[in-house]
Amino acid sequence: MEVALEDNNLMEKVLPPDEQEIDVELEAKEKKYLRGEGANLESLKDKKLKTQLASREKLYGKSAKAAAKIEKWLLPASAGYLETEGLEKTWRIKQTDIAKEVDLLSSRNQYDIVLPDFGPYKLDFTASGRHMLAGGRKGHLALVDMMNMNLIKEIHVRETVRDVAFLHNDQFFAAAQKKYSYIYARDGTELHCLKERGPVARLRFLKNHFLLASVNKIGQLHYQDVTYGDMVASIRTGKGRTDVMEVNPYNGVVALGHSGGTVTMWKPTSQAPLVQMQCHPGPVSAVAFHPNGHLMATSGKERKVKIWDLRKFEEVQTIHGFHAKTLSFSQKGLLAAGTGSFVQVLGDSSGGGHSRYMSHPMVKGYQVEKVMFRPYEDVLGIGHSMGWSSVLIPGSGEPNFDSWVANPFETSKQRREKEVHLLLDKLPPETIMLDPSKIGAMRPSRRKEKPTRGEIEAEKEVAIEAAKSVEMKKKTKGRNKPSKRTKKKKELVENAKKTFPELEEKNIAGKKRRIGEDAAAELPTSLKRFARKN
Amino acid sequence: MGGLKRKPSSSAKALAKSKKKKGPHLPNSILKVIANQKRPLNSDEEDDDDVIGSDDEHGGDLYEYEEGVPEEESRKNNRYDRHDNYDYELPDDFEDENVESEDDDDGGNSDNDEAEGDDDDDDDRHTRMLQSLTGMPSAAFEGESKSKPVLFTEAYPEGEFNPTRDVLEGKNVLTEEDFLAPLEGTPGYQKTSKQIARMRKDTKHVVHAPLPKPQRERLERKAVIGLVDEEFSKWVHLVKKNREAPTVYFNQDVDLGYSTVGAIASEFQPRTEFEKKMASVLNDSEVSMEDHIKDHNHIAKMRSLLFRHEFKSKRIKKIKSKTYHRLKNKDLKNSSLGALMDPEMAKEEAMRQEAKRVEERMTLKHRNTGKWAKRMISRGLNVKYDGPKAAIAEQLQMNANLSRKMNSMRDGSSSDESDDEEELNDGADEDTPSRLIAKAKEKTLKALEDDEVPNAGLMSLPFMKNEEANEEAKRALEEYEEWENSGGENSKKTVNVSGRRVFGATAKVEAPKESRKDSDNFYDDSDSDNDMAGIEDNNIEPVRDNASPARNTITETEKFDDDVAGNPASKTTFDVAMFASGSWKKMAGSKNTESKKASRKTRAPIPQAQDKKGWRDEESEDSESEAEQMVDGVLTSTSKETFEVPSQAELINRAFAGDDVLDEFEKDKEEVLNQEVPKPEKPVLVPGWGDWTNIQKKRGISKQMVQKHEAEKKEWEQGLKTRKDARLKHVIISEKVDKKAEKLHTTTLPFPFTSKEVFEHSMRMPIGPEFNPSTIVGELNRPEVVKKTGVIIKPVKFEEVNPNDEVDDEHPRNHQKQRPKKKTSRRQGKVKSK
């Protein structure tokens, strides 16, 4: 009878299927926010520490749960997607089809700006996706407010512009021009001329570190701190000229693609590359990083696009028969690739690798120069030889923006405050490393553990000094003789000296002798007389 | 008395003993005499100390033998009277003597001793005299008397701490009998002896001698420590809890007193007579007020229900209409209850429902197509009045109910489609499609007729619907006729019915080939009709329902691409957005024959398209098929061929370029490895050394050097193996130590941690407000002690703590709890429990 009752209770406890689904979903999210598993506390012997850590873990769990719930219930928007029925394929859907279905505001994001005179255009978006910078090869720089399609400033520098990049916000941008690179203000005023770098091929800005990284024609990599203008590092890559450069948004490591098919990764504090990867047999034509920093896409001229796992430095996927002049990952992990007048978007919907998601053929003769997803919007910006275009790629952008991180609707006051915060939170250049989560952890053990002679000497001296400066107790009459005191002090110093391995050599000698003696001792008595006596 | 005087040492001992045992004075002295001198008592009277001494030297046997009789006799003779007298006069004498002198005192104490004779008296008197003369204490004179007769066998003086040999040997130890013996025969002897015997048996009430002090104290401490432990162990949980708590709070609790009426009420204590009376009534009565009220309400409700029911039944009973009652009974029978009870009935009911549904679907009744409904709608009465409105809505509801698919009603079939298929197959087997069509025709006709008849208020909402349905039905009729006429001549024609299509499995469809052909033919006609009429169907459903094979036809699409054809066996159903596709216009303009061709194309078994063919092909295909213009300002173009096929020369170039690159990379890697993990140099001799003699050459490199080199090499290999890129041929991961970044790591583990892993795991979660929900940030960053400034930290108060429940941070325990609050809570609990 009792058992039956219990069963009933169990039945009651089983949640309805939709709630279970929610639970599963929440759990997945919770796991994400837990940032890995806690340590195994069972192995700890210290009970106090154990309880402390256990309570801490509990709090972490609580926090993760709360965060997961917030994500589940409070984030207003969900990501868009293309849904097909039956035999329809997403990549057959054209922009015109999409235009019919979407709302007015989104359909405004489909356009072509035809500027045939100054082409091919490079593009860059601010972190919030509000502003776009377009730099025409022939010297045309345009700053556009994407929200209201307002041209903020348009200047013509009358020389080659190889690349453009926003600094920390829309107020400043840098342009790599024919001889030097320059920094301009929002209103088009030239603020700085960066002569040290030489003719720069690519420019990238590291937001968290306030570093402007550039690679010049002769393959030199420069890091310049834009807050105080110092050149933090200038590194000779020694791999020749390159114009493939991308920043890993996760850790700030700069990747360069070289003509030998290698991709090298750099940080400002070391002259040697952190990682060199042989990715392609032919020249590398484009590199892109997934926002979470774990995936890298490279394209070689041998018509292959490869996707790499940067945690293992192994190839995850190879896409054949396809070569990209420019690659870009969206916030949600879609990969756009542009070649000639054709743009292809790959998606990882099923988790089994990237596959075709959408494609967009441009007018024949347009040469795609740069593709870049607009943050927080389902929009792909395409810079090409005849201006720039914008197409809708459903599901590419993060649907919910965090106004503390990047606010598209930022007021000027907020922007100023943000700027101060960014400066306060600026990371020093040495924090750029392959695994930034290791900051604060134990120092990795050195290969060479032995201290040098000088270090030993210094340490010994310190110890001797400490022994000498020991205050002696004032003892009673008769026990306080100066001779005794000096003797005692000498003893202390001797002891201090003894602890240092300078004596080791002598000890070794002594040991050797002892070994000889031991050998004699070990010999059978009849042979002992033959043992050598030193 | 004399005994006392004569042997002062023994008397002293006796005294001590008597004091210890708290016994009477005299018997002790007597005992002493007996023990030490072993002299019969009666010899006291005969005196002569010397004789006694000699007696002592005699054996004890003789003495003992003699002891009994003369003693008793003498006692009897001497004391009987005296004792009696004494007993009688004791109170007066005793007091008097006590007051008078020491001597008297002695005499008073030594009640039994007077028997000892005059000699003692004489001696006593003598000493007293001496005392009075000399003025010296009697003790001085006692020495004389002591020295006289006593014989010492021991070297030491006899005393409290020097017991005699006999005592030590355990021979002549005093027992109760010894004391009792002299009393034998006296009145009350029996009683005392009994008492003593009882006492001896009774070990319980024996009072033991107190233990030595240290032992006693130890025991006491032991007892006390238990109590103290108990007292203090009460605090252990409290202390433990405080120690384990991540945060200790020293906030002053602001006591607001009673916050609710309930709290005040719970505190209420009856004081006056009346209040007490009320309290006793309230508390003692078994039924509480609430229960009473509940009961009352319940009864009232039941009564009212009964009343209503009665009223209703009365009213119904009043109705005299027979039809009403008949209908009512029928209703009752047919009600769901009956159906539920009887499976037969349920089946019947289901059948009826099904029939109804079919009828509804056929006739399109209940769609407000009737005359009445039309009129109502046209005049807008259905909006104006509630009655018609409700009626119309009801009809619509009924229509919806009836025309809904009812899979549950079926027993075996899973879906309509399969049923239809079966039907189709049946039809094929019987080879009577004509019959089927005739049936359909008949039904359609019937439906048409039905529509003409205005059924009571069964009209549908869209005004023209009925006419449309009629029209369609008519068209269907035409088709049937046409088909009958043609007799299934034309074949291999497909339908072009837009909207929902079903792609059945090819195998399934192809099995009944004949029938399919037929159906194809039949649908081809309909297709042409459709073209003629140019109707976008929607209301074709009834027709299609009648002629179910329509569901199984494979329709063609112009843009039937490889992937689709790749899996012709799939059972998927899908909507072809024919009108949405850009190619539709073209198709619409095209001839029937074209579509036929296309359809045949699709019908033909197409080999599975290879996905691995590469994108290029498909892209090119796409671009070929697409003839696009600039639409809506979006620049799209016919991208026929975006990737030019690389020339052979280029390909070769690339192939050759690759090899070089890989080699180079390998070299690079080697170089880097050599730099980071330097390869140990091979031991070599200094050139020219030992050349003048070939001894050294013969020896070669010394063993030691070789060994050292080998060890180094091993180390080097190990170093290479442990590198991260050891297994990755295509990757070089630098392991150079970045000195600038070293300051970002700790060199030693912070104190409580002992393992690196645990420490790093504990550091993984950021605790700042940027990374955590605001509800948790406070908790994550709370200090160990929370205290308001100026708050006096009071000592911990005792409170009951459940050792099993854990510290919760959400409701931090306050260490400065106020008394009254606690009280109220406890009391509330009590009230509740009552």
Side-chain angles (χ1 to χ4, degrees), chain B residues 358-364 367 440 443-444 447 451 465 468-470 472-473 476 480 523 537-548 551:
Chain B
V358 169
E359 198 186 20
E360 173 65 27
R361 284 168 70 108
M362 260 174 50
T363 58
L364 287 185
R367 290 181 81 178
K443 274 191 179 169
T444 324
D451 262 332
K465 268 281 156 67
E468 262 177 35
N470 282 349
E472 237 149 65
Y480 297 146
Y523 268 99
D537 73 319
N538 272 340
N539 297 316
I540 204 155
E541 270 164 2
V543 183
R544 217 196 274 167
D545 256 5
N546 293 343
S548 41
R551 291 229 160 182

Side-chain angles (χ1 to χ4, degrees), chain B residues 51 93 157 170 189 292 333 345 416 458 468 471 700 722 823:
Chain B
V51 176
D93 284 14
Y189 169 77
H292 178 72
K333 224 184 195 173
M345 203 185 260
D416 256 3
L458 304 182
E468 262 177 35
E471 217 170 40
T722 50
K823 250 189 196 168

Side-chain angles (χ1 to χ4, degrees), chain A residues 54-327:
Chain A
S55 67
R56 207 86 206 138
E57 278 302 322
K58 220 180 204 173
L59 279 181
Y60 291 157
K62 229 167 153 187
S63 166
K65 201 167 228 171
K69 273 185 182 162
I70 285 167
E71 196 194 318
K72 170 83 180 117
W73 302 116
L74 295 185
L75 291 190
S78 56
Y81 52 91
L82 270 183
E83 197 180 57
T84 53
E85 283 172 337
L87 301 175
E88 270 182 317
K89 296 293 174 194
T90 47
W91 61 85
R92 295 193 191 281
I93 294 170
K94 289 175 211 66
Q95 288 298 314
T96 45
D97 301 336
I98 292 173
K100 281 175 201 157
E101 304 297 328
V102 297
D103 55 329
L104 202 65
L105 215 63
S106 303
S107 66
R108 278 173 60 189
N109 281 322
Q110 286 181 318
Y111 56 83
D112 285 298
I113 306 284
V114 183
L115 297 161
D117 299 336
F118 308 115
Y121 276 85
K122 292 272 178 194
L123 301 179
D124 194 23
F125 288 102
T126 49
S128 63
R130 174 80 189 255
H131 296 92
M132 189 186 80
L133 183 66
R137 178 92 181 170
K138 293 182 182 119
H140 178 218
L141 294 176
L143 183 61
V144 188
D145 185 340
M146 301 296 277
M147 198 72 82
N148 47 18
M149 291 305 292
N150 193 12
L151 184 66
I152 292 166
K153 189 67 193 176
E154 193 178 18
I155 51 171
H156 204 283
V157 294
R158 289 161 191 273
E159 59 177 3
T160 313
V161 172
R162 292 198 197 86
D163 202 4
V164 286
F166 270 115
L167 301 194
H168 55 280
N169 58 20
D170 62 307
Q171 299 296 299
F172 307 100
F173 62 89
Q177 292 176 21
K178 192 182 178 191
K179 207 170 177 187
Y180 309 119
S181 38
Y182 296 84
I183 291 177
Y184 296 95
R186 180 187 159 97
D187 55 359
T189 353
E190 181 190 318
L191 297 176
H192 299 286
C193 173
L194 313 171
K195 286 185 180 172
E196 260 181 279
R197 301 154 175 268
V200 168
R202 282 287 172 275
L203 272 176
R204 287 291 175 272
F205 184 70
L206 279 69
K207 285 181 199 79
N208 298 324
H209 305 85
F210 277 80
L211 294 176
L212 187 63
S214 66
V215 64
N216 67 10
K217 271 184 171 176
I218 50 173
Q220 280 177 325
L221 181 62
H222 292 275
Y223 286 92
Q224 191 161 25
D225 194 314
V226 297
T227 54
Y228 60 98
D230 248 22
M231 189 63 82
V232 173
S234 67
I235 300 161
R236 286 175 56 227
T237 59
K239 301 254 174 189
R241 177 181 177 149
T242 179
D243 60 348
V244 179
M245 176 182 183
E246 210 56 59
V247 178
N248 188 342
Y250 170 64
N251 51 17
V253 168
V254 167
L256 298 175
H258 301 282
S259 57
T262 52
V263 170
T264 51
M265 299 190 187
W266 303 85
K267 65 176 177 179
T269 49
S270 95
Q271 289 289 319
L274 285 172
V275 177
Q276 299 181 56
M277 296 169 76
Q278 183 69 43
C279 294
H280 296 275
V284 177
S285 60
V287 174
F289 285 100
H290 194 279
N292 69 12
H294 297 326
L295 288 183
M296 177 177 77
T298 60
S299 163
K301 291 228 165 117
E302 88 282 8
R303 302 172 70 77
K304 268 179 197 166
V305 171
K306 288 183 180 175
I307 295 174
W308 302 81
D309 188 340
L310 290 183
R311 290 168 291 189
K312 295 186 285 183
F313 295 103
E314 274 172 8
E315 198 181 311
V316 178
Q317 198 186 353
T318 307
I319 298 152
H320 293 277
F322 188 55
H323 145 252
K325 190 167 191 288
T326 161
L327 287 169

Side-chain angles (χ1 to χ4, degrees), chain B residues 63 69 81 84 160 239 285 365 379 388 391 401 492 555 585 595 682 693 720 741:
Chain B
Y63 161 72
V69 183
D81 289 348
D84 211 3
E160 194 185 350
V239 171
S285 63
K365 267 185 193 177
R379 292 183 187 175
N401 281 341
K492 285 183 188 172
T555 55
K585 282 174 212 159
S595 67
K682 262 194 172 176
T693 165
L720 284 185

Side-chain angles (χ1 to χ4, degrees), chain A residues 33-39 44 46 49 53 56-60 62-63 66-67 70 85-87 89 92 94-96 100 110 112 114 239 260 262 267 269 272-278 280-281 301-303 308 312-314 319 322-323 339 341-342 344 346 356 360-364 366 430-431 433 438-444 446-447, chain B residues 561 563-564 567 574-575 580 615-616 618-619 622 626 628 631 633-637 639 641-644 646 654 657-658 661-662 665 668 672 719 722 728 730-749 752-754 756-767 771-773 775-776 779-780 806 810:
Chain A
Y33 284 110
L34 266 179
R35 297 173 169 87
E37 277 173 26
L44 277 180
D46 188 350
L49 180 65
L53 287 180
R56 207 86 206 138
E57 278 302 322
K58 220 180 204 173
L59 279 181
Y60 291 157
K62 229 167 153 187
S63 166
I70 285 167
E85 283 172 337
L87 301 175
K89 296 293 174 194
R92 295 193 191 281
K94 289 175 211 66
Q95 288 298 314
T96 45
K100 281 175 201 157
Q110 286 181 318
D112 285 298
V114 183
K239 301 254 174 189
T262 52
K267 65 176 177 179
T269 49
L274 285 172
V275 177
Q276 299 181 56
M277 296 169 76
Q278 183 69 43
H280 296 275
K301 291 228 165 117
E302 88 282 8
R303 302 172 70 77
W308 302 81
K312 295 186 285 183
F313 295 103
E314 274 172 8
I319 298 152
F322 188 55
H323 145 252
T339 10
S341 57
F342 197 74
Q344 188 90 41
L346 313 176
R356 267 195 298 181
H360 178 68
M362 311 281 300
V363 175
K364 180 105 182 182
Y366 286 16
E430 54 264 25
T431 54
M433 54 179 79
K438 282 277 173 281
I439 291 175
M442 277 283 283
R443 181 185 292 176
R446 275 185 177 184
R447 201 161 285 282
Chain B
D561 74 66
D563 288 50
V564 178
N567 45 2
F574 75 111
D575 291 311
W615 300 355
R616 210 189 58 78
E618 283 174 37
E619 274 155 19
D622 275 2
E626 288 152 6
E628 284 290 329
V631 190
V634 179
L635 272 177
T636 50
S637 73
S639 64
E641 181 63 46
T642 51
F643 304 105
E644 69 280 3
R654 275 178 204 162
V661 161
L662 288 176
F665 187 78
D668 273 2
V672 170
T722 50
L728 302 166
H730 61 280
V731 180
I732 308 168
I733 301 170
S734 159
E735 296 203 340
K736 272 187 183 166
V737 179
D738 186 2
K739 277 194 178 167
K740 275 181 188 165
E742 266 191 343
K743 66 185 172 193
L744 301 171
H745 303 286
T746 58
T747 47
T748 52
L749 280 174
F753 291 98
T754 46
K756 186 182 159 193
E757 194 217 346
V758 171
F759 168 63
E760 277 171 12
H761 271 289
S762 76
M763 295 287 292
R764 77 180 195 283
M765 279 283 279
I767 55 171
F771 306 95
N772 289 292
T775 47
I776 314 291
E779 235 172 289
L780 276 169
E806 286 168 26
E810 257 173 73

